[in-house]
Each structure stands twice: as structure tokens, then as C-alpha cells.
């Protein structure tokens, strides 16, 4: 009896589920066949979940799923695969299913709601092969054109868009046992493209030890290593000619590294039967980064290319001829060139008076140290490193590592690190010994030659440039350590403080002897790091030393600047450390800027934050207007005068009123309060206006009297030095806690729709659960009679079996399992009783 009940319930559940699922999903194959090569592309892996892409330029989110409808509703419907969300509105950009075509490149074409003028939204997702894009990547949004707001383009770099590759051995050993490895030249997402003949109608696509990447512009049949694209004069489609398959390993021929690709297209020439390509690699020790093949010549059946690269040099030769004193930042491709520092011996002293002589990228000319020495301790004539020109790069700048100095106490050789740090404009600078360890020396050299780009330190109206230090770092204390800090620049070199060169924040421990140890970088002044967050300015430094708690992460730090009206430039204070991030706060007057104020009758001005309030009636111990003498005329000024004075104007000259209050400004940068008056009496074809600046001046007391600055063009300007314009000691601005009302209203609607869809799913689940329980209960009553049970089993078997047939291509594995379950249930209709309700619920 329990088995029967189990079996019946399973069968019913199965029936319901298949019906539900089949009613939900229109059939769509998440893959496509290559139009010529019959390769099958399968994009299923990319469609496992909804992906949201934030379009910063439009301030909108696009959520998409390639091969099924989104899991959330969009614009109230479950039909969309692509949804645009912006400020609470939802637009269906693409309905499921898309059109998937492969015309050399796989492309998904979605159509959505009406966009404009009887055009619907369309979304085109071009799938581009990238053998290295292995994990689930996300598509890249191509910015919309101004004239077409209805079409959205994405490019999705993924390995799922790649053909099967053919590879060849890319290493070879010559007869003198030198190993060469060209595998770093293999392209995994963009072929090398060589223009032939300069007319633009012939281009050769090449890859190294790997078949060319099949994409638009390189559509050769087969697994070519070289593919020629031929454009004819008329506008017909280009032709693609296979100039050789990847079928030979890298070889050495006449002392040169060589790759040949043979067995391409048929060649009409009688001497050879197929097209082929030969690439010769020539040693060029200076050609390290980003070299490309060059066209040499061709016959009717063969193309020849040469490729200059340091990878074709033997190690001995490379060492002797390495690019001297140059290095390229691999991320930005910026090349540092320190050649101008070469060829002169420089001396520098440590704080304890030891003198060192050194030469950049070359050996010392005049020293008592062994020949080839790069840094020499002149007192003992000990080499602390042999010279080399092998400039290297690390985050923060280029550096040299002079190794193999004299044997040291620890049995190893002395070495010296010379790191170059971005320094003042136009300076070649000089070396500073920041650390002298027993067996190594660390030298920092500040020079503008090491500057790649300097952080501007300016964002909108905020300018942190005045905070940059050039002679002494800011120092804050916390966590029993010291923080040496500069703003938007590397820290100022400090003897004894050997932080990773170029760091903007250096954390160090002070020993009881006052020495610095355990120097750690809390970040570098990279790229754009100043941002505005409500009323705070935030400066972030990232990519510091590895985080002790989580070595996968790097330490970072941020500075939150807040306005201190009454203060000076201020200095940083350590706030806290959490999650590999150090936070500092910095109260300073330089981020105060200008705030709008209001006039509060009878005679008070207040800034918009209401923290600064000034009673201007203090300027008028006696309620009489102040008189200012101009050339030939007198002005009477009565700030608090109200209606009684000159028809309401604060400034009056004769019968001309110079206007009533229109604006109050608190200019904290200049410590002044500006009163602007407008709508005065008529002045030729304009009206009189005026301006009065109350300027903070502690030394003059309350009243130094107003002065005329200018009277021209119906406008008069005055200034008045007074203590009352000085900002009172006030607390800092309210900090930018995220109670920004705008962002709240933006996100709420999106969340609501999410809840709606959740609610819909829940409703469905409850209804179906109730239904299931009812059916099972009925079945249970029915099955108390074994004969009825048998009968029922027979009927349900018939139904599910026929379903199995019609659903075979839908889910083969599941249905056969189900069929097994049906057949193997040995005694489904035994006369056992159901023991407890748990079994029912357990289904
Ligand atoms: C496509 O890939 C998925 C998962 O990677 C697999 O389940 C499915 O059978 C594949 N489809 C075809 C037609 O090969
Ligand atoms: C876009 O999505 C992100 C993360 O899901 C969310 O924080 C942000 O508010 C969304 N923006 C819009 C405009 O919907
Ligand atoms: C394939 O693309 C070419 C040009 O890129 C075009 O001329 C041709 O019509 C396309 N074929 C199909 C079937 O879309
Ligand atoms: C275009 O959008 C309208 C309105 O949403 C819709 O009714 C129509 O089916 C769409 N056209 C296509 C081709 O999808
Ligand atoms: C490639 O060829 C070299 C010798 O030319 C050989 O030592 C190496 O094992 C080969 N590598 C592979 C992966 O076959
Ligand atoms: C292609 O055009 C160029 C000039 O535009 C002409 O000289 C040449 O003969 C043309 N070639 C063919 C094959 O039509
Ligand atoms: C191509 O250049 C190579 C090397 O310069 C030369 O040996 C070969 O004869 C040239 N071939 C033609 C067809 O000019
Ligand atoms: C070089 O190749 C082009 C086209 O691939 C062909 O037209 C030309 O005749 C070839 N040159 C020689 C010398 O065969
Ligand atoms: C390295 O290459 C250079 C020039 O190509 C050659 O003169 C030298 O003999 C080679 N050295 C070794 C050890 O192979
Ligand atoms: C410099 O060379 C020494 C000695 O070979 C080595 O221990 C050290 O790690 C190197 N430092 C850097 C930054 O390359
Ligand atoms: C300095 O670093 C070492 C190892 O990196 C560590 O053992 C030591 O505790 C640190 N000293 C201080 C004072 O943090
Ligand atoms: C800057 O740091 C703050 C505080 O850790 C962080 O919330 C913010 O995301 C950071 N901004 C950038 C651009 O890294």
C-alpha cells in the first residue's frame, strides 16, 4: 500500500510537471551550425542565469538571458529575454525567442516592444570567439548611436563562439641547445592582420602555431593558419583563401626559426599543387612587446612573412643586447625611458654617512669595486650589486635590481633595488637611500621621467591640489603604527622608510630605536580616484600590498574630506580598519566651497546647512545708514534698513536705489559673505544692482566701515572687512549617509516588480501544492481497495507511457527513469496501510 501511494503520487507529480514545463517554454535551440563548416556552436552555458549590465552613459540597466525568458517579469510579462530598467520604468527590449543565425559569426537577433514610428526595439548580440574567455563572461554593450535609439548592440567574447582549434608545437631546441618558445605569440581572440600591397584590398590573417580565429574578415574554410581576404573592385562579398593549414611544428631552417603552413587551397600554378605560407622569425632583442608579422613577398602559390621578435633570440644574446633602460607598463603600454640617466656615476650617502657610488643601467666607470659593479660602497670598496640595463616594471613605476654583489653574511650576494618614482616636473632628481639592510640596499629615485600620468586631484569644484606635500608627508597614527600620507602623489621620500615605491600611503611600525619596519603600501595614486559623495569628497587609493588576512586581496585606503569652515588645510586622522581597507577622515577648509545662504528678517543671514548664522545688525550699533564716499557722490548703506531706507534698497545714492537682497553666498574658500542686491531703480535702460562683500578679518574688530570698490554700468560693488564674517566654530557638515532620497525612489519600483514576480511564483506553488494534496488524498481513499488500485495504476501507466513517447526529444533521461520507476515498483498495490501522514508530505 505505501509503495502504491508513492508511485501514484510520483506519477501525478510527473504529469503535472511535464505539462507545466511544456506550457512554459517555446522550444528554442541554444546553438547554431556554422553555415559552411558544420561546426556546432552551443551557447547553453551562457544562458544559465539572468545577466544585468549597467549602462553608465544612459543610467540604465539591461538584464538579459540568451536562450530563455528572464526569470523575473519585465513590464509585467514573462515573455522577455531582454529588459531595460531605468528610473522605475521597464521596457521589453527583446522577446523570447530570438532569431539565431550564423553567417560566419553567430548572432542573436531579438525584437521587442514598439520603439518609435512603427519600429520595434531590436537587440543584436554578436558572439565573438575568444579562446581565453572561458568562464561565463558577460556581453559588452556597444554605446548607442545618436540617430538610432531603437537598436542595441552587444558583443559577447566567449570561447563558445570558437571553432575547434588546431595547434602545433611552438617550441624548438637548436643544435646549441637553446630553447625557443613562440607560444606567447599565439593569438586567442584577434588574428594578426597584415595588409598586403597597401591598397587595402588584400589582407592576410595569421596566427602562430594555432589556427586563425574564425570571424568576420577571416572566414577561411578548414583550419587555416593563414587566411587571405580578397576584396574585388565591385561591391561583391570578399573571398577567403586558405593559404595553408596548421600542420607543421616550429622548426629551424638555416639558423632561423620558421613556421610553414601548407596544403591550403588548390594552386593553379603547375609547379605546386596547393597554396602555402612561410613565416620567418628574426631575432631582434629590442622588439619585445607587440610585434607583428611583415609581408615580404609572394609567388603565385606562396606568401612569405618576416617577424622580428626577441623571442627568436638565444638567451645569451638577449642578455647582452637587452633593451637598455626602457620598460613598458604592460597594462597601459606606456614606455619608461631612463636613458638620460645613464653614463654618469652618482654618489649618495646614507644617514650614517656611508657613501655609495652608482650608475643607472650600466657599470661604474670610476670605482675601486670589481669591474661591472653597478653600486659600490666606496668606503670598503664592496660591490652591493652588479650593473644591468634590464629595467623592470612594478605597480608604482620602473625599477632595477642589481644582483650578484659581494658575498654577504648570509652566504648570499648583496643586491640593490633602485626604484624610480614619479617626482617633480622636469626634475631628473637624485637617488635617496631609503633602507640599508645587511645584505641589500633600497634606493628611491624621484624623477619626472618616472611619471606616467599624474592624478589631477580636481573633481568638479573640488580641488585637492593645495594639499599635495612636496617636502614632508602627513603623518597619522593608529593601530600602533604610523601612516605616512601624501595626496594624489607618492609619499615624499623619507630616509629609513622603504615602502613599495610610488605608494601614496605607507604604513610602518616604529621600533623602540625609532627605526621604521614592516612598511606596507596602502595604495597608489592611480587614475581617477577623487569622487564626490553627497557633500563629502572621497579620495581612494587601491592596489596596495597584499592584505594580511586575505592575501588574494590588496590593501586599500580612502580619505573622506569634510568641510571645516574655521579650520586650515587640516590633516588626516585614522578612523578604522576593516576588510583590508583603511579609512581616514580629514577635516579641512579647502572642500567647503561656496554655499548658498538665505536672508532671515530682520537682519540675519544663514547658510543652507543652517550651521552658520550671522546677525548683521551687529554692524549697526546705531540704526543709521553708513555713508561711503565715492568720486563726487556719496552712497548710504543700510543693510538692515528695511523699507524705511531708500524705497527698500540697502544701498542708495541720491534718489537711486541700488536694489533689494536677491542672493546671499557663503564663500568659505575666501572666508567672505556676499550680499547681492537687484531690481533697483531705473538706470538708463537697465536697473541698478549692487554687491556687498563682508570679508572675514579678525584683526579689525566688528566694524572697519564699508569701502567702494567699483561703480560702473549701473552697478556698485562694496567690501566691508569685519570680524563677524569669520565663520564661527561650527561642526562639520552632516556626513553623507546614504539617505539620498533620489536614489531611494529610483530603486523602489524595480524591487516592487521583483516582489510581484516572487509573489506570482509563490501563488502558483501554493495552488499546485493544494491541488497535489487533494489528488493524492483522493488517490489514497481510492487505493484502500487493492483492486481499484491496480486498475488505477494501469490507467496512469497508459497515460504517462504515451506521454513518454511524445516527449522523447524533450528530456530523454528523466522520462526513462520515470518509466523504470513505474515498471520496477514490484508490488505497488500491496495491502499495507499508510503508516503516517509524513509519507504523504514526503512526496
Ligand atoms: C549544449 O551544452 C549543454 C551544456 O553544456 C548540453 O547539456 C547540451 O546537450 C548541448 N547541446 C547540444 C545540442 O550539444
Ligand atoms: C542597476 O542594477 C544595480 C545592481 O543590480 C543597482 O544597484 C542599480 O540601482 C540599478 N540601476 C538602475 C538604474 O536600475
Ligand atoms: C552573410 O553576410 C554577408 C556579408 O557580411 C551578406 O552579404 C550575406 O547576405 C549574409 N548571408 C546571410 C544568409 O545572411
Ligand atoms: C512590435 O511591438 C508591438 C508592440 O509591443 C507588438 O505588438 C509587435 O508584435 C512587435 N512586432 C514584432 C515583429 O515583434
Ligand atoms: C615540441 O617539440 C620539442 C622538440 O622540438 C619537444 O621537446 C617537445 O616535447 C614538443 N612538445 C610537445 C608538446 O609535443
Ligand atoms: C580595380 O580598380 C582599379 C582602379 O580603381 C583599376 O585600376 C583596376 O583595373 C580594377 N581592377 C579590376 C580587376 O577591375
Ligand atoms: C622573397 O624573398 C626571399 C628573401 O628575401 C627571397 O629568397 C625570395 O627569392 C623572394 N621571392 C621572390 C618571389 O621574390
Ligand atoms: C601575389 O599574390 C597575388 C594575389 O594573392 C597575385 O595576384 C600575385 O600575382 C602574386 N605575385 C606573384 C609574383 O605571383
Ligand atoms: C646566440 O645568437 C647569436 C646571434 O644570433 C650568435 O652569434 C651566438 O653564437 C648565439 N649563441 C649561442 C650560445 O647560441
Ligand atoms: C632582486 O634580486 C634579489 C637577488 O636575486 C632577489 O632576492 C629579490 O627578490 C629581487 N627583487 C626584486 C623586486 O626583483
Ligand atoms: C612585522 O612583520 C613580521 C613578518 O612579516 C611579523 O612577524 C611581525 O609581527 C611584524 N611586526 C609588527 C610590529 O607588526
Ligand atoms: C572608495 O572607497 C569607499 C570606501 O571604502 C568605497 O565605498 C568606494 O566604493 C570606493 N570607490 C572606488 C571608486 O573605489
Amino acid at each position: 500500500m505505501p509503495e502504491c501511494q508513492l508511485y501514484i503520487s510520483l506519477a501525478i507529480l510527473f504529469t503535472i510537471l511535464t505539462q507545466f514545463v511544456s506550457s512554459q517554454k517555446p522550444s528554442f535551440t541554444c546553438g547554431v551550425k556554422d553555415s559552411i563548416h558544420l561546426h556546432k556552436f552551443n551557447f547553453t552555458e551562457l544562458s544559465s542565469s539572468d545577466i544585468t549590465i549597467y549602462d553608465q552613459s544612459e543610467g540604465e540597466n539591461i538584464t538579459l538571458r540568451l536562450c530563455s525568458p528572464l526569470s523575473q517579469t519585465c513590464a509585467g510579462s514573462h515573455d522577455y529575454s531582454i529588459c531595460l530598467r531605468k528610473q522605475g520604468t521597464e521596457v521589453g527590449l527583446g522577446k523570447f525567442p530570438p532569431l539565431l543565425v550564423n553567417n560566419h559569426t553567430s548572432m542573436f537577433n531579438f525584437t521587442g516592444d514598439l520603439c518609435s514610428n512603427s519600429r520595434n526595439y531590436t537587440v543584436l548580440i554578436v558572439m565573438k570567439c575568444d579562446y581565453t574567455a572561458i568562464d561565463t563572461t558577460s556581453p559588452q554593450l556597444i554605446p548607442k548611436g545618436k540617430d538610432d535609439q531603437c537598436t542595441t548592440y552587444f558583443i559577447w567574447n566567449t570561447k563558445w563562439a570558437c571553432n575547434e582549434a588546431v595547434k602545433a608545437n611552438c617550441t624548438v631546441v637548436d643544435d646549441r641547445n637553446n630553447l625557443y618558445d613562440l607560444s606567447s605569440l599565439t593569438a586567442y581572440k584577434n588574428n594578426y592582420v597584415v595588409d598586403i600591397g597597401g591598397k587595402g584590398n588584400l589582407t592576410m590573417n595569421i596566427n602562430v602555431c594555432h589556427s586563425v580565429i574564425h570571424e568576420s574578415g577571416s572566414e577561411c574554410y578548414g583550419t587555416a593558419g593563414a587566411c587571405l581576404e580578397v576584396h574585388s573592385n565591385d561591391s561583391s562579398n570578399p573571398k577567403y583563401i586558405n593559404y595553408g593549414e596548421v600542420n607543421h611544428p616550429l622548426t629551424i631552417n638555416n639558423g632561423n626559426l620558421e613556421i610553414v603552413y601548407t596544403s591550403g587551397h588548390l594552386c593553379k600554378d603547375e609547379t605546386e599543387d596547393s597554396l602555402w605560407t612561410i613565416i620567418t622569425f628574426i631575432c631582434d632583442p629590442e622588439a619585445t612587446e607587440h610585434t607583428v608579422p611583415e609581408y615580404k613577398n609572394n609567388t603565385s602559390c606562396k606568401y612569405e612573412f618576416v617577424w622580428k621578435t626577441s623571442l627568436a633570440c638565444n638567451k645569451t644574446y638577449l642578455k647582452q643586447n637587452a633593451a637598455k633602460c626602457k620598460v613598458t607598463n604592460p597594462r597601459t603600454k606606456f614606455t619608461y625611458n631612463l636613458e638620460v640617466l645613464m653614463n654618469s656615476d652618482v654618489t649618495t650617502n646614507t644617514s650614517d654617512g656611508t657613501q655609495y657610488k652608482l650608475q643607472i643601467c650600466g657599470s661604474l666607470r670610476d670605482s675601486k669595486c670589481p669591474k661591472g659593479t653597478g653600486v659600490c660602497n666606496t668606503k670598503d670598496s664592496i660591490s652591493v650589486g652588479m650593473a644591468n640595463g634590464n629595467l623592470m616594471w612594478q605597480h608604482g613605476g620602473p625599477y632595477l635590481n642589481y644582483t650578484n654583489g659581494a658575498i654577504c653574511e648570509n652566504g648570499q650576494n648583496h643586491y640593490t633595488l633602485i626604484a624610480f618614482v614619479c617626482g617633480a616636473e622636469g626634475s631628473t632628481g637624485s637617488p635617496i637611500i631609503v633602507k640599508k639592510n645587511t645584505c641589500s640596499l633600497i634606493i628611491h629615485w624621484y624623477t619626472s621621467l618616472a611619471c606616467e600620468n599624474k592624478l589631477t586631484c580636481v573633481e568638479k569644484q573640488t580641488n585637492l591640489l593645495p594639499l599635495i606635500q612636496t617636502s614632508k608627508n602627513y603623518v597619522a597614527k593608529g593601530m600602533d603604527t604610523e601612516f605616512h600620507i601624501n595626496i594624489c602623489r607618492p609619499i615624499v621620500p623619507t630616509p629609513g622608510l622603504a615602502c613599495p615605491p610610488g605608494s601614496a600611503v605607507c604604513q610602518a611600525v616604529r621600533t623602540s630605536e625609532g627605526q621604521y619596519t614592516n612598511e606596507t603600501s596602502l595604495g597608489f595614486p592611480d587614475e581617477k580616484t577623487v569622487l564626490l559623495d553627497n557633500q563629502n569628497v572621497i579620495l581612494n587609493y587601491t592596489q596596495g600590498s597584499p592584505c594580511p588576512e586575505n592575501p588574494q586581496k590588496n590593501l586599500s585606503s580612502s580619505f573622506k574630506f569634510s568641510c571645516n569652515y574655521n579650520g586650515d588645510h587640516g590633516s588626516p586622522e585614522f578612523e578604522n580598519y576593516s576588510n583590508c581597507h583603511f579609512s581616514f577622515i580629514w577635516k579641512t577648509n579647502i572642500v567647503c566651497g561656496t554655499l548658498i545662504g538665505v536672508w532671515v528678517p530682520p537682519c540675519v543671514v544663514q547658510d543652507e546647512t543652517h550651521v552658520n548664522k550671522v546677525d548683521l545688525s551687529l554692524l549697526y550699533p546705531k540704526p543709521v545708514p553708513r555713508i561711503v564716499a565715492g568720486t563726487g557722490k556719496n552712497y548710504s548703506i543700510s543693510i538692515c534698513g528695511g523699507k524705511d531706507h531708500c524705497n527698500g534698497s540697502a544701498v542708495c545714492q541720491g534718489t537711486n536705489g541700488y536694489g533689494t537682497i536677491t542672493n546671499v553666498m557663503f564663500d568659505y574658500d575666501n572666508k567672505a559673505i556676499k550680499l547681492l542686491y537687484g531690481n533697483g531703480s531705473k538706470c538708463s535702460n537697465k536697473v541698478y544692482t549692487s554687491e556687498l562683500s563682508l570679508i572675514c578679518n579678525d584683526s579689525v574688530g566688528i566694524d572697519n566701515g564699508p569701502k567702494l570698490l567699483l561703480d560702473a554700468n549701473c552697478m556698485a560693488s562694496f567690501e566691508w572687512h569685519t570680524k563677524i564674517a569669520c565663520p564661527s566654530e561650527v561642526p562639520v557638515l552632516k556626513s553623507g549617509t546614504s539617505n539620498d532620497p533620489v536614489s531611494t525612489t529610483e530603486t523602489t519600483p524595480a524591487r516592487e516588480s521583483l516582489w510581484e514576480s516572487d509573489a506570482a511564483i509563490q501563488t502558483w506553488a501554493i495552488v499546485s501544492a493544494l491541488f497535489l494534496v487533494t489528488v493524492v488524498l483522493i488517490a489514497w481513499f481510492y487505493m484502500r481497495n487493492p483492486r481499484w488500485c491496480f486498475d488505477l495504476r494501469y490507467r496512469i501507466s497508459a497515460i504517462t507511457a504515451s506521454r513518454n513517447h511524445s516527449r522523447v526529444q524533450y528530456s530523454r533521461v528523466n522520462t526513462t527513469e520515470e518509466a523504470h520507476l513505474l515498471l520496477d515498483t514490484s508490488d505497488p498495490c500491496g495491502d499495507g496501510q499508510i503508516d503516517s501522514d509524513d509519507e504523504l508530505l514526503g512526496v
Side-chain angles (χ1 to χ4, degrees), residues 432 434 444 446 470-471 473 490-495 497:
I432 295 156
V434 296
H444 285 184
Y446 279 64
T470 53
S471 58
N473 294 307
I491 55 166
V492 176
T494 309
L497 186 68

Side-chain angles (χ1 to χ4, degrees), residues 529-540:
T529 46
V530 183
L531 15 128
L532 302 174
D533 142 32
N534 286 359
Q535 301 191 28
N536 291 301
V537 178
I538 298 189
L539 177 65
N540 277 10

Side-chain angles (χ1 to χ4, degrees), residues 84-102:
L84 180 141
R85 293 193 173 88
K86 186 177 188 174
Q87 288 168 359
T89 59
E90 293 187 334
V91 180
L93 288 189
K95 281 206 184 96
F96 180 79
L99 200 64
L100 171 56
V101 292
N102 181 292

